[in-house]
C-alpha cells in the first residue's frame, strides 16, 4: 500500500529565511508526486508536480522540489520565504489506477508560519 | 481557467438530516472526487467517479453516497448526518490521464 509521511506538522520560520518541508513516500510502483498549498479558508492549489524526467521540479511562487527515488523523498524548498507563504502544505502521491492523477493519497500536512 | 465550484462554503445541519453537497466543474473533466479534510489527518478520499453514473469507493465511504447523473456534476450525499461528519469537504476534478487535480474552495459542514 502507498503512504505519504510529512515529517513536520508545523514549521515556523522568519521572513527571508530559507525553508524545507519534508515529504517521504512509500510505494512498490512508480508514482507521480505533488505538492499542494492551502491558504486559510481556501481550497487546494497545485504548487508543483513530478511526473517524469528531471528530478528537480520548479513550481509557482518560487518553490521547488527534488525527487529522490533512492530515499523515496520529495522535499519542498524555497530559498527566501515571505509572509504571504504562510499556509498549509500537502504532499501527495497518485495511485497507480487507471488514467487518473486526481486519485491522490495525501500526507497530513505541514503548517508553515512565516514571522516578520 | 479550470473552475470547480462547490455550492456552499458553509453549512450547518442537524443530526439525522439528509445532506447534499454539490460540485460542478466546467472543463469537461472525466474524473471527479470527494475528499474529507480533518485537522492532523490531511485529506482522505471518500468516493470518486471516472464517468457518468459510475462511482467507486475511496478510503472512507461509510456513511456517504454519491451521484453523478451528468458529466459536470458530482454530488456527495450524507443519508443521515451525524456529528462525526462535521468536517471540511473538498471536491476535485481531473482529465482522464491528466497531470493534476483541480480543487474547489471547500464546504465546511457542521452537524449539530
Amino acid at each position: 500500500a502507498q503512504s505519504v509521511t510529512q515529517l513536520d506538522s508545523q514549521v515556523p520560520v522568519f521572513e527571508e529565511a530559507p525553508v524545507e518541508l519534508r515529504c517521504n513516500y512509500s510505494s512498490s510502483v512508480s508514482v507521480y508526486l505533488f505538492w499542494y498549498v492551502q491558504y486559510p479558508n481556501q481550497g487546494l492549489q497545485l504548487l508543483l508536480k513530478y511526473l517524469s524526467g528531471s528530478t528537480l521540479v520548479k513550481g509557482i511562487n518560487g518553490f521547488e522540489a527534488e525527487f529522490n527515488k533512492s530515499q523515496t523523498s520529495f522535499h519542498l524548498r524555497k530559498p527566501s520565504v515571505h509572509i504571504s507563504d504562510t499556509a498549509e502544505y500537502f504532499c501527495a502521491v497518485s495511485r497507480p489506477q487507471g488514467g487518473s492523477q486526481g486519485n491522490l493519497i495525501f500526507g497530513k500536512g505541514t503548517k508553515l508560519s512565516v514571522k516578520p | 481557467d479550470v473552475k470547480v465550484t462547490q455550492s456552499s462554503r458553509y453549512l450547518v445541519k442537524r443530526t439525522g438530516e439528509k445532506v447534499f453537497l454539490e460540485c460542478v466543474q466546467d472543463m469537461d473533466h472525466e474524473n471527479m472526487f470527494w475528499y474529507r479534510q480533518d485537522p492532523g489527518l490531511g485529506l482522505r478520499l471518500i468516493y470518486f467517479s471516472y464517468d457518468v453514473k459510475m462511482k467507486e469507493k475511496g478510503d472512507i465511504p461509510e456513511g456517504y453516497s454519491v451521484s453523478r447523473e451528468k458529466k459536470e456534476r458530482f454530488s456527495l450525499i450524507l443519508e443521515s448526518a451525524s456529528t462525526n461528519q462535521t468536517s471540511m469537504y473538498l471536491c476535485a476534478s481531473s482529465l482522464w490521464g491528466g497531470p493534476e487535480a483541480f480543487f474547489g474552495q471547500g464546504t465546511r459542514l457542521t452537524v449539530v
Side-chain angles (χ1 to χ4, degrees):
Chain A
Q2 294 171 300
S3 66
V4 177
T5 302
Q6 291 183 242
L7 296 155
D8 305 293
S9 59
Q10 297 188 19
V11 173
V13 64
F14 287 106
E15 194 174 18
E16 298 184 5
V19 70
E20 178 180 80
L21 305 184
R22 297 180 293 167
C23 174
N24 287 95
Y25 70 93
S26 66
S27 177
S28 58
V29 297
S30 295
V31 294
Y32 299 143
L33 294 155
F34 304 83
W35 275 100
Y36 282 86
V37 60
Q38 185 179 38
Y39 299 104
N41 297 315
Q42 300 291 320
L44 270 67
Q45 179 182 5
L46 182 70
L47 271 180
L48 49 79
K49 58 184 179 282
Y50 172 79
L51 305 181
S52 64
S54 173
T55 57
L56 183 62
V57 179
K58 293 190 183 297
I60 62 172
N61 301 339
F63 283 93
E64 64 181 32
E66 185 154 19
F67 170 58
N68 188 319
K69 188 174 182 179
S70 62
Q71 297 187 6
T72 61
S73 68
F74 190 55
H75 300 333
L76 181 70
R77 301 186 183 99
K78 187 170 182 178
S80 176
V81 295
H82 303 291
I83 298 286
S84 59
D85 292 323
T86 294
E88 191 161 17
Y89 294 78
F90 292 94
C91 181
V93 301
S94 64
R95 304 179 206 241
Q97 184 171 6
S100 170
Q101 268 59 286
N103 193 344
L104 301 170
I105 300 169
F106 285 86
K108 295 183 178 181
T110 298
K111 290 186 177 178
L112 176 65
S113 175
V114 181
K115 304 176 187 304
Chain B
D1 278 354
V2 175
K3 195 162 186 182
V4 179
T5 303
Q6 295 183 230
S7 54
S8 304
R9 292 295 304 275
Y10 301 94
L11 275 178
V12 180
K13 297 292 181 181
R14 294 194 180 278
T15 301
E17 276 193 76
K18 190 169 186 175
V19 180
F20 293 86
L21 303 184
E22 308 286 347
C23 175
V24 177
Q25 50 93 4
D26 65 358
M27 284 300 293
D28 203 34
H29 285 173
E30 290 83 4
N31 306 318
M32 296 190 74
F33 308 84
W34 276 106
Y35 290 89
R36 170 176 172 160
Q37 182 182 10
D38 298 291
L41 297 179
L43 280 77
R44 293 176 290 168
L45 183 64
I46 305 172
Y47 267 98
F48 59 98
S49 170
Y50 289 156
D51 200 353
V52 175
K53 295 191 184 297
M54 176 273 181
K55 60 185 178 184
E56 293 284 346
K57 292 180 180 180
D59 299 316
I60 52 165
E62 296 78 17
Y64 304 94
S65 62
V66 290
S67 172
R68 193 167 182 199
E69 296 295 319
K70 294 184 178 181
K71 190 175 184 179
E72 67 271 18
R73 186 179 296 270
F74 193 36
S75 302
L76 180 69
I77 303 159
L78 287 66
E79 295 288 343
S80 178
S82 63
T83 54
N84 62 12
Q85 293 178 309
T86 291
S87 186
M88 170 75 94
Y89 291 88
L90 290 160
C91 176
S93 72
S94 70
L95 284 168
W96 179 262
E100 69 181 87
F102 297 86
F103 282 82
Q105 294 289 80
T107 297
R108 188 168 295 280
L109 173 67
T110 302
V111 182
V112 297

